[in-house]
Each structure stands twice: as structure tokens, then as C-alpha cells.
Amino acid sequence: MDVAELTHLIENHGKDVYGFCCKLTRDKHQADDLYQETFLKAIELCHKIDRNKNPKSFLIAIAANMWKNQNRKFGWRHRIAKIVEFKDDFDNESYMIDTTTPELVVISNEVYTMIDRASASLNDKLRIPLYMYYNTGLSIEDIASALKIPKGTVKSRLYKARKLIKEYMEVNGYEEL
């Protein structure tokens, strides 16, 4: 694969990869960095990208592995020297969902925000396959191959993540519409 083909991949899958990075990091600046590092790594590994297999899952796997490595490094540094966190004005944006009435819009935004908080509270082991499945639309086989785990493990992690999100929502007063 040459650089022109990689540019084509960025055009086709860049939006999904960026969305995945935003979900993982929950911070625009970190998402920008992770996105950029993902494609820098993809340029290094462009000889391994097979256009006939799912290149999107390859790119998502690079982003997920880079995120895990960053967290591991951050955890190591944090054990050595505590870092005082800077609180930015970052707030979870409520996304407007096209519904028919203003009341349904408000309810949909609250449900979305609650699900977003619940999924953010999960550990990476459950959160990464969840975002890969629901946000980027990868199949279970693609997730298994990207994370190098069996398909049954992916299914199990998705089940556990959904169960924990459901419990979180029940504890916080969510009732089905």
C-alpha cells in the first residue's frame, strides 16, 4: 500500500477513527493527538494493511492499542509522581436527536448523556470493544482480530458492558420510555 492509498483510507475511514478516538479519550485535544498518532503509525505499518480485509478494523486496532499504551505509561508515571489534574471547561455535549417534540428531544438527550456517562465509567477492557462495536460498527470477528482475543471473549465483554450500563441506568432512575 502506498501513501496515495493510505490517503484514500483516511478519506473513507478517518471519520470513524476520529469518532472512536473521541469516545476513548473524552477530550478533543487528546482525541486529536490520538488520531494523528494512529495515522502516523498507519503510515509506518502501511505495508501490513490489506485492502481486501477490513482496513477500518486495522486502523481502529491501532488506535485502541495506542490508547492502551498511553494509559499504561500514564499509570506508570502517575505511580512515580502524582499529577495534578487541570479541570477544563470540557463538558459532555448533549447531542440533539431528531425527534418530533421538544419533550422527546430533552428525554433523548438525557438518556444519551446517561448512557455516555455509564459507558465512560467502564474499564478499557469493556469500553474499547463496546465503542468498537457500537460507534465504529465493526463486527465481532473484526473486533476479535483487532484485539487478538477470541470471538467469545468479545461477546462476553459486550454482554458485561451492556449489563453494567443497564445497572447504572437503573440505579440512576432510568425508566424505559
Side-chain angles (χ1 to χ4, degrees), residues 21-52:
C21 292
C22 287
K23 279 294 194 184
L24 277 182
T25 61
R26 309 186 68 72
D27 180 75
K28 182 182 180 337
H29 301 293
Q30 285 184 334
D32 291 344
D33 290 344
L34 182 61
Y35 178 78
Q36 191 174 31
E37 290 171 13
T38 298
F39 280 103
L40 287 174
K41 189 71 173 180
I43 290 171
E44 288 177 21
L45 301 174
C46 67
H47 63 281
K48 291 185 177 181
I49 298 174
D50 186 4
R51 289 181 56 183
N52 298 327

PDB file of all heavy atoms in Angstrom, residues 21-52:
ATOM      1  N   CYS A  21     -11.692   7.715  18.595  1.00  0.00           N
ATOM      2  CA  CYS A  21     -10.701   8.401  19.434  1.00  0.00           C
ATOM      3  C   CYS A  21     -11.391   9.356  20.413  1.00  0.00           C
ATOM      4  O   CYS A  21     -11.008   9.449  21.582  1.00  0.00           O
ATOM      5  CB  CYS A  21      -9.704   9.178  18.569  1.00  0.00           C
ATOM      6  SG  CYS A  21      -8.630   8.142  17.580  1.00  0.00           S
ATOM      7  N   CYS A  22     -12.405  10.064  19.945  1.00  0.00           N
ATOM      8  CA  CYS A  22     -13.148  10.990  20.822  1.00  0.00           C
ATOM      9  C   CYS A  22     -13.839  10.232  21.935  1.00  0.00           C
ATOM     10  O   CYS A  22     -13.848  10.679  23.092  1.00  0.00           O
ATOM     11  CB  CYS A  22     -14.178  11.770  20.023  1.00  0.00           C
ATOM     12  SG  CYS A  22     -13.480  13.028  18.973  1.00  0.00           S
ATOM     13  N   LYS A  23     -14.435   9.089  21.617  1.00  0.00           N
ATOM     14  CA  LYS A  23     -15.115   8.300  22.635  1.00  0.00           C
ATOM     15  C   LYS A  23     -14.134   7.776  23.666  1.00  0.00           C
ATOM     16  O   LYS A  23     -14.421   7.782  24.862  1.00  0.00           O
ATOM     17  CB  LYS A  23     -15.858   7.121  21.997  1.00  0.00           C
ATOM     18  CG  LYS A  23     -17.171   7.485  21.429  1.00  0.00           C
ATOM     19  CD  LYS A  23     -18.079   7.887  22.548  1.00  0.00           C
ATOM     20  CE  LYS A  23     -19.501   7.963  22.143  1.00  0.00           C
ATOM     21  NZ  LYS A  23     -20.336   8.458  23.239  1.00  0.00           N
ATOM     22  N   LEU A  24     -12.976   7.314  23.203  1.00  0.00           N
ATOM     23  CA  LEU A  24     -11.999   6.762  24.144  1.00  0.00           C
ATOM     24  C   LEU A  24     -11.432   7.834  25.058  1.00  0.00           C
ATOM     25  O   LEU A  24     -11.342   7.643  26.270  1.00  0.00           O
ATOM     26  CB  LEU A  24     -10.838   6.110  23.383  1.00  0.00           C
ATOM     27  CG  LEU A  24     -11.012   4.706  22.901  1.00  0.00           C
ATOM     28  CD1 LEU A  24      -9.755   4.227  22.211  1.00  0.00           C
ATOM     29  CD2 LEU A  24     -11.382   3.776  24.022  1.00  0.00           C
ATOM     30  N   THR A  25     -11.035   8.939  24.498  1.00  0.00           N
ATOM     31  CA  THR A  25     -10.323   9.948  25.282  1.00  0.00           C
ATOM     32  C   THR A  25     -11.253  10.876  26.035  1.00  0.00           C
ATOM     33  O   THR A  25     -10.884  11.385  27.077  1.00  0.00           O
ATOM     34  CB  THR A  25      -9.423  10.795  24.372  1.00  0.00           C
ATOM     35  OG1 THR A  25     -10.240  11.462  23.419  1.00  0.00           O
ATOM     36  CG2 THR A  25      -8.394   9.927  23.675  1.00  0.00           C
ATOM     37  N   ARG A  26     -12.424  11.160  25.457  1.00  0.00           N
ATOM     38  CA  ARG A  26     -13.396  12.078  26.030  1.00  0.00           C
ATOM     39  C   ARG A  26     -12.826  13.490  26.164  1.00  0.00           C
ATOM     40  O   ARG A  26     -13.226  14.267  27.019  1.00  0.00           O
ATOM     41  CB  ARG A  26     -13.924  11.578  27.365  1.00  0.00           C
ATOM     42  CG  ARG A  26     -14.416  10.142  27.291  1.00  0.00           C
ATOM     43  CD  ARG A  26     -15.053   9.680  28.512  1.00  0.00           C
ATOM     44  NE  ARG A  26     -16.301  10.326  28.804  1.00  0.00           N
ATOM     45  CZ  ARG A  26     -17.454  10.143  28.161  1.00  0.00           C
ATOM     46  NH1 ARG A  26     -17.483   9.336  27.138  1.00  0.00           N
ATOM     47  NH2 ARG A  26     -18.539  10.756  28.521  1.00  0.00           N
ATOM     48  N   ASP A  27     -11.848  13.796  25.324  1.00  0.00           N
ATOM     49  CA  ASP A  27     -11.221  15.111  25.316  1.00  0.00           C
ATOM     50  C   ASP A  27     -10.780  15.409  23.878  1.00  0.00           C
ATOM     51  O   ASP A  27     -10.125  14.580  23.250  1.00  0.00           O
ATOM     52  CB  ASP A  27     -10.005  15.104  26.253  1.00  0.00           C
ATOM     53  CG  ASP A  27      -9.319  16.436  26.277  1.00  0.00           C
ATOM     54  OD1 ASP A  27      -9.848  17.362  26.910  1.00  0.00           O
ATOM     55  OD2 ASP A  27      -8.242  16.543  25.642  1.00  0.00           O
ATOM     56  N   LYS A  28     -11.148  16.588  23.381  1.00  0.00           N
ATOM     57  CA  LYS A  28     -10.876  16.900  21.984  1.00  0.00           C
ATOM     58  C   LYS A  28      -9.380  16.919  21.669  1.00  0.00           C
ATOM     59  O   LYS A  28      -8.939  16.375  20.662  1.00  0.00           O
ATOM     60  CB  LYS A  28     -11.504  18.241  21.619  1.00  0.00           C
ATOM     61  CG  LYS A  28     -11.311  18.598  20.164  1.00  0.00           C
ATOM     62  CD  LYS A  28     -11.887  19.920  19.833  1.00  0.00           C
ATOM     63  CE  LYS A  28     -11.733  20.334  18.403  1.00  0.00           C
ATOM     64  NZ  LYS A  28     -10.709  19.778  17.604  1.00  0.00           N
ATOM     65  N   HIS A  29      -8.589  17.521  22.561  1.00  0.00           N
ATOM     66  CA  HIS A  29      -7.156  17.625  22.300  1.00  0.00           C
ATOM     67  C   HIS A  29      -6.483  16.250  22.316  1.00  0.00           C
ATOM     68  O   HIS A  29      -5.646  15.949  21.460  1.00  0.00           O
ATOM     69  CB  HIS A  29      -6.495  18.563  23.312  1.00  0.00           C
ATOM     70  CG  HIS A  29      -7.070  19.949  23.279  1.00  0.00           C
ATOM     71  ND1 HIS A  29      -6.898  20.786  22.192  1.00  0.00           N
ATOM     72  CD2 HIS A  29      -7.836  20.632  24.157  1.00  0.00           C
ATOM     73  CE1 HIS A  29      -7.516  21.923  22.414  1.00  0.00           C
ATOM     74  NE2 HIS A  29      -8.107  21.861  23.606  1.00  0.00           N
ATOM     75  N   GLN A  30      -6.856  15.433  23.284  1.00  0.00           N
ATOM     76  CA  GLN A  30      -6.292  14.084  23.328  1.00  0.00           C
ATOM     77  C   GLN A  30      -6.760  13.263  22.122  1.00  0.00           C
ATOM     78  O   GLN A  30      -6.000  12.464  21.580  1.00  0.00           O
ATOM     79  CB  GLN A  30      -6.696  13.371  24.621  1.00  0.00           C
ATOM     80  CG  GLN A  30      -5.953  13.839  25.838  1.00  0.00           C
ATOM     81  CD  GLN A  30      -6.339  13.027  27.058  1.00  0.00           C
ATOM     82  OE1 GLN A  30      -7.423  12.470  27.138  1.00  0.00           O
ATOM     83  NE2 GLN A  30      -5.438  12.988  28.025  1.00  0.00           N
ATOM     84  N   ALA A  31      -8.013  13.463  21.723  1.00  0.00           N
ATOM     85  CA  ALA A  31      -8.532  12.745  20.552  1.00  0.00           C
ATOM     86  C   ALA A  31      -7.776  13.155  19.293  1.00  0.00           C
ATOM     87  O   ALA A  31      -7.438  12.304  18.470  1.00  0.00           O
ATOM     88  CB  ALA A  31     -10.021  13.018  20.389  1.00  0.00           C
ATOM     89  N   ASP A  32      -7.499  14.454  19.167  1.00  0.00           N
ATOM     90  CA  ASP A  32      -6.723  14.917  18.014  1.00  0.00           C
ATOM     91  C   ASP A  32      -5.343  14.268  17.993  1.00  0.00           C
ATOM     92  O   ASP A  32      -4.871  13.816  16.941  1.00  0.00           O
ATOM     93  CB  ASP A  32      -6.574  16.439  18.040  1.00  0.00           C
ATOM     94  CG  ASP A  32      -7.878  17.164  17.775  1.00  0.00           C
ATOM     95  OD1 ASP A  32      -8.825  16.526  17.278  1.00  0.00           O
ATOM     96  OD2 ASP A  32      -7.950  18.371  18.079  1.00  0.00           O
ATOM     97  N   ASP A  33      -4.699  14.232  19.167  1.00  0.00           N
ATOM     98  CA  ASP A  33      -3.367  13.619  19.255  1.00  0.00           C
ATOM     99  C   ASP A  33      -3.419  12.131  18.922  1.00  0.00           C
ATOM    100  O   ASP A  33      -2.581  11.623  18.168  1.00  0.00           O
ATOM    101  CB  ASP A  33      -2.776  13.817  20.648  1.00  0.00           C
ATOM    102  CG  ASP A  33      -2.389  15.261  20.914  1.00  0.00           C
ATOM    103  OD1 ASP A  33      -2.283  16.042  19.949  1.00  0.00           O
ATOM    104  OD2 ASP A  33      -2.202  15.606  22.099  1.00  0.00           O
ATOM    105  N   LEU A  34      -4.403  11.439  19.510  1.00  0.00           N
ATOM    106  CA  LEU A  34      -4.514  10.000  19.263  1.00  0.00           C
ATOM    107  C   LEU A  34      -4.809   9.714  17.795  1.00  0.00           C
ATOM    108  O   LEU A  34      -4.230   8.797  17.203  1.00  0.00           O
ATOM    109  CB  LEU A  34      -5.606   9.393  20.154  1.00  0.00           C
ATOM    110  CG  LEU A  34      -5.797   7.886  20.049  1.00  0.00           C
ATOM    111  CD1 LEU A  34      -4.524   7.141  20.439  1.00  0.00           C
ATOM    112  CD2 LEU A  34      -6.956   7.441  20.929  1.00  0.00           C
ATOM    113  N   TYR A  35      -5.657  10.516  17.200  1.00  0.00           N
ATOM    114  CA  TYR A  35      -5.995  10.356  15.776  1.00  0.00           C
ATOM    115  C   TYR A  35      -4.752  10.536  14.916  1.00  0.00           C
ATOM    116  O   TYR A  35      -4.465   9.736  14.023  1.00  0.00           O
ATOM    117  CB  TYR A  35      -7.069  11.382  15.416  1.00  0.00           C
ATOM    118  CG  TYR A  35      -7.486  11.380  13.978  1.00  0.00           C
ATOM    119  CD1 TYR A  35      -8.348  10.413  13.484  1.00  0.00           C
ATOM    120  CD2 TYR A  35      -7.048  12.371  13.109  1.00  0.00           C
ATOM    121  CE1 TYR A  35      -8.749  10.428  12.165  1.00  0.00           C
ATOM    122  CE2 TYR A  35      -7.437  12.393  11.787  1.00  0.00           C
ATOM    123  CZ  TYR A  35      -8.293  11.411  11.327  1.00  0.00           C
ATOM    124  OH  TYR A  35      -8.682  11.432  10.011  1.00  0.00           O
ATOM    125  N   GLN A  36      -4.006  11.590  15.224  1.00  0.00           N
ATOM    126  CA  GLN A  36      -2.804  11.868  14.451  1.00  0.00           C
ATOM    127  C   GLN A  36      -1.763  10.756  14.630  1.00  0.00           C
ATOM    128  O   GLN A  36      -1.160  10.293  13.654  1.00  0.00           O
ATOM    129  CB  GLN A  36      -2.226  13.206  14.901  1.00  0.00           C
ATOM    130  CG  GLN A  36      -1.144  13.735  14.026  1.00  0.00           C
ATOM    131  CD  GLN A  36      -0.732  15.126  14.460  1.00  0.00           C
ATOM    132  OE1 GLN A  36      -0.794  15.469  15.635  1.00  0.00           O
ATOM    133  NE2 GLN A  36      -0.319  15.926  13.513  1.00  0.00           N
ATOM    134  N   GLU A  37      -1.574  10.312  15.862  1.00  0.00           N
ATOM    135  CA  GLU A  37      -0.615   9.239  16.117  1.00  0.00           C
ATOM    136  C   GLU A  37      -1.046   7.936  15.456  1.00  0.00           C
ATOM    137  O   GLU A  37      -0.209   7.153  15.013  1.00  0.00           O
ATOM    138  CB  GLU A  37      -0.447   9.046  17.623  1.00  0.00           C
ATOM    139  CG  GLU A  37       0.279  10.196  18.290  1.00  0.00           C
ATOM    140  CD  GLU A  37       0.247  10.116  19.803  1.00  0.00           C
ATOM    141  OE1 GLU A  37      -0.121   9.064  20.351  1.00  0.00           O
ATOM    142  OE2 GLU A  37       0.569  11.134  20.436  1.00  0.00           O
ATOM    143  N   THR A  38      -2.352   7.707  15.406  1.00  0.00           N
ATOM    144  CA  THR A  38      -2.863   6.499  14.759  1.00  0.00           C
ATOM    145  C   THR A  38      -2.476   6.466  13.291  1.00  0.00           C
ATOM    146  O   THR A  38      -1.986   5.455  12.781  1.00  0.00           O
ATOM    147  CB  THR A  38      -4.397   6.432  14.903  1.00  0.00           C
ATOM    148  OG1 THR A  38      -4.723   6.361  16.285  1.00  0.00           O
ATOM    149  CG2 THR A  38      -4.969   5.243  14.175  1.00  0.00           C
ATOM    150  N   PHE A  39      -2.652   7.582  12.611  1.00  0.00           N
ATOM    151  CA  PHE A  39      -2.329   7.574  11.187  1.00  0.00           C
ATOM    152  C   PHE A  39      -0.827   7.655  10.940  1.00  0.00           C
ATOM    153  O   PHE A  39      -0.347   7.165   9.916  1.00  0.00           O
ATOM    154  CB  PHE A  39      -3.104   8.667  10.457  1.00  0.00           C
ATOM    155  CG  PHE A  39      -4.510   8.222  10.182  1.00  0.00           C
ATOM    156  CD1 PHE A  39      -5.565   8.687  10.942  1.00  0.00           C
ATOM    157  CD2 PHE A  39      -4.772   7.300   9.189  1.00  0.00           C
ATOM    158  CE1 PHE A  39      -6.861   8.248  10.711  1.00  0.00           C
ATOM    159  CE2 PHE A  39      -6.063   6.851   8.942  1.00  0.00           C
ATOM    160  CZ  PHE A  39      -7.102   7.333   9.703  1.00  0.00           C
ATOM    161  N   LEU A  40      -0.072   8.227  11.867  1.00  0.00           N
ATOM    162  CA  LEU A  40       1.389   8.156  11.740  1.00  0.00           C
ATOM    163  C   LEU A  40       1.851   6.706  11.851  1.00  0.00           C
ATOM    164  O   LEU A  40       2.723   6.263  11.100  1.00  0.00           O
ATOM    165  CB  LEU A  40       2.060   9.020  12.807  1.00  0.00           C
ATOM    166  CG  LEU A  40       1.977  10.526  12.587  1.00  0.00           C
ATOM    167  CD1 LEU A  40       2.546  11.276  13.792  1.00  0.00           C
ATOM    168  CD2 LEU A  40       2.718  10.928  11.329  1.00  0.00           C
ATOM    169  N   LYS A  41       1.250   5.978  12.793  1.00  0.00           N
ATOM    170  CA  LYS A  41       1.576   4.561  12.944  1.00  0.00           C
ATOM    171  C   LYS A  41       1.112   3.782  11.714  1.00  0.00           C
ATOM    172  O   LYS A  41       1.797   2.854  11.263  1.00  0.00           O
ATOM    173  CB  LYS A  41       0.912   4.012  14.215  1.00  0.00           C
ATOM    174  CG  LYS A  41       1.348   2.640  14.590  1.00  0.00           C
ATOM    175  CD  LYS A  41       2.760   2.672  15.094  1.00  0.00           C
ATOM    176  CE  LYS A  41       3.165   1.320  15.653  1.00  0.00           C
ATOM    177  NZ  LYS A  41       4.533   1.339  16.145  1.00  0.00           N
ATOM    178  N   ALA A  42      -0.050   4.172  11.172  1.00  0.00           N
ATOM    179  CA  ALA A  42      -0.560   3.501   9.965  1.00  0.00           C
ATOM    180  C   ALA A  42       0.383   3.705   8.788  1.00  0.00           C
ATOM    181  O   ALA A  42       0.551   2.808   7.963  1.00  0.00           O
ATOM    182  CB  ALA A  42      -1.957   4.015   9.633  1.00  0.00           C
ATOM    183  N   ILE A  43       1.006   4.869   8.719  1.00  0.00           N
ATOM    184  CA  ILE A  43       1.978   5.107   7.645  1.00  0.00           C
ATOM    185  C   ILE A  43       3.171   4.169   7.815  1.00  0.00           C
ATOM    186  O   ILE A  43       3.660   3.594   6.838  1.00  0.00           O
ATOM    187  CB  ILE A  43       2.427   6.587   7.642  1.00  0.00           C
ATOM    188  CG1 ILE A  43       1.280   7.472   7.177  1.00  0.00           C
ATOM    189  CG2 ILE A  43       3.653   6.788   6.754  1.00  0.00           C
ATOM    190  CD1 ILE A  43       1.532   8.957   7.346  1.00  0.00           C
ATOM    191  N   GLU A  44       3.597   3.985   9.068  1.00  0.00           N
ATOM    192  CA  GLU A  44       4.709   3.059   9.320  1.00  0.00           C
ATOM    193  C   GLU A  44       4.338   1.628   8.943  1.00  0.00           C
ATOM    194  O   GLU A  44       5.169   0.866   8.471  1.00  0.00           O
ATOM    195  CB  GLU A  44       5.099   3.087  10.799  1.00  0.00           C
ATOM    196  CG  GLU A  44       5.810   4.325  11.244  1.00  0.00           C
ATOM    197  CD  GLU A  44       6.095   4.282  12.737  1.00  0.00           C
ATOM    198  OE1 GLU A  44       6.103   3.180  13.342  1.00  0.00           O
ATOM    199  OE2 GLU A  44       6.277   5.352  13.306  1.00  0.00           O
ATOM    200  N   LEU A  45       3.068   1.281   9.217  1.00  0.00           N
ATOM    201  CA  LEU A  45       2.630  -0.095   9.001  1.00  0.00           C
ATOM    202  C   LEU A  45       1.840  -0.279   7.709  1.00  0.00           C
ATOM    203  O   LEU A  45       1.131  -1.270   7.556  1.00  0.00           O
ATOM    204  CB  LEU A  45       1.753  -0.538  10.187  1.00  0.00           C
ATOM    205  CG  LEU A  45       2.401  -0.497  11.556  1.00  0.00           C
ATOM    206  CD1 LEU A  45       1.385  -0.806  12.632  1.00  0.00           C
ATOM    207  CD2 LEU A  45       3.564  -1.483  11.618  1.00  0.00           C
ATOM    208  N   CYS A  46       1.946   0.666   6.787  1.00  0.00           N
ATOM    209  CA  CYS A  46       1.102   0.608   5.586  1.00  0.00           C
ATOM    210  C   CYS A  46       1.374  -0.647   4.758  1.00  0.00           C
ATOM    211  O   CYS A  46       0.490  -1.102   4.033  1.00  0.00           O
ATOM    212  CB  CYS A  46       1.230   1.871   4.754  1.00  0.00           C
ATOM    213  SG  CYS A  46       2.805   2.120   3.992  1.00  0.00           S
ATOM    214  N   HIS A  47       2.536  -1.251   4.908  1.00  0.00           N
ATOM    215  CA  HIS A  47       2.804  -2.486   4.166  1.00  0.00           C
ATOM    216  C   HIS A  47       1.992  -3.662   4.720  1.00  0.00           C
ATOM    217  O   HIS A  47       1.813  -4.664   4.048  1.00  0.00           O
ATOM    218  CB  HIS A  47       4.300  -2.802   4.197  1.00  0.00           C
ATOM    219  CG  HIS A  47       4.833  -3.061   5.562  1.00  0.00           C
ATOM    220  ND1 HIS A  47       5.127  -2.045   6.448  1.00  0.00           N
ATOM    221  CD2 HIS A  47       5.106  -4.211   6.211  1.00  0.00           C
ATOM    222  CE1 HIS A  47       5.567  -2.562   7.578  1.00  0.00           C
ATOM    223  NE2 HIS A  47       5.562  -3.872   7.462  1.00  0.00           N
ATOM    224  N   LYS A  48       1.481  -3.536   5.946  1.00  0.00           N
ATOM    225  CA  LYS A  48       0.690  -4.613   6.553  1.00  0.00           C
ATOM    226  C   LYS A  48      -0.816  -4.470   6.313  1.00  0.00           C
ATOM    227  O   LYS A  48      -1.572  -5.383   6.602  1.00  0.00           O
ATOM    228  CB  LYS A  48       0.933  -4.650   8.068  1.00  0.00           C
ATOM    229  CG  LYS A  48       2.314  -5.104   8.448  1.00  0.00           C
ATOM    230  CD  LYS A  48       2.422  -5.226   9.952  1.00  0.00           C
ATOM    231  CE  LYS A  48       3.777  -5.753  10.353  1.00  0.00           C
ATOM    232  NZ  LYS A  48       3.884  -5.906  11.803  1.00  0.00           N
ATOM    233  N   ILE A  49      -1.240  -3.318   5.824  1.00  0.00           N
ATOM    234  CA  ILE A  49      -2.670  -3.092   5.622  1.00  0.00           C
ATOM    235  C   ILE A  49      -3.102  -3.791   4.352  1.00  0.00           C
ATOM    236  O   ILE A  49      -2.555  -3.559   3.281  1.00  0.00           O
ATOM    237  CB  ILE A  49      -2.983  -1.582   5.538  1.00  0.00           C
ATOM    238  CG1 ILE A  49      -2.607  -0.893   6.846  1.00  0.00           C
ATOM    239  CG2 ILE A  49      -4.467  -1.370   5.246  1.00  0.00           C
ATOM    240  CD1 ILE A  49      -2.747   0.625   6.796  1.00  0.00           C
ATOM    241  N   ASP A  50      -4.080  -4.655   4.487  1.00  0.00           N
ATOM    242  CA  ASP A  50      -4.633  -5.374   3.350  1.00  0.00           C
ATOM    243  C   ASP A  50      -5.983  -4.757   3.010  1.00  0.00           C
ATOM    244  O   ASP A  50      -6.901  -4.767   3.828  1.00  0.00           O
ATOM    245  CB  ASP A  50      -4.799  -6.853   3.697  1.00  0.00           C
ATOM    246  CG  ASP A  50      -5.223  -7.670   2.499  1.00  0.00           C
ATOM    247  OD1 ASP A  50      -5.314  -7.113   1.379  1.00  0.00           O
ATOM    248  OD2 ASP A  50      -5.456  -8.873   2.684  1.00  0.00           O
ATOM    249  N   ARG A  51      -6.081  -4.208   1.812  1.00  0.00           N
ATOM    250  CA  ARG A  51      -7.325  -3.531   1.415  1.00  0.00           C
ATOM    251  C   ARG A  51      -8.478  -4.508   1.277  1.00  0.00           C
ATOM    252  O   ARG A  51      -9.630  -4.129   1.380  1.00  0.00           O
ATOM    253  CB  ARG A  51      -7.124  -2.781   0.107  1.00  0.00           C
ATOM    254  CG  ARG A  51      -6.259  -1.563   0.279  1.00  0.00           C
ATOM    255  CD  ARG A  51      -6.079  -0.824  -0.986  1.00  0.00           C
ATOM    256  NE  ARG A  51      -7.416  -0.479  -1.530  1.00  0.00           N
ATOM    257  CZ  ARG A  51      -7.582   0.133  -2.665  1.00  0.00           C
ATOM    258  NH1 ARG A  51      -6.548   0.486  -3.388  1.00  0.00           N
ATOM    259  NH2 ARG A  51      -8.783   0.414  -3.110  1.00  0.00           N
ATOM    260  N   ASN A  52      -8.192  -5.783   1.044  1.00  0.00           N
ATOM    261  CA  ASN A  52      -9.255  -6.763   0.871  1.00  0.00           C
ATOM    262  C   ASN A  52      -9.862  -7.188   2.205  1.00  0.00           C
ATOM    263  O   ASN A  52     -11.031  -7.547   2.271  1.00  0.00           O
ATOM    264  CB  ASN A  52      -8.731  -7.979   0.119  1.00  0.00           C
ATOM    265  CG  ASN A  52      -8.269  -7.590  -1.272  1.00  0.00           C
ATOM    266  OD1 ASN A  52      -8.826  -6.686  -1.880  1.00  0.00           O
ATOM    267  ND2 ASN A  52      -7.234  -8.240  -1.756  1.00  0.00           N
TER     268      ASN A  52
END
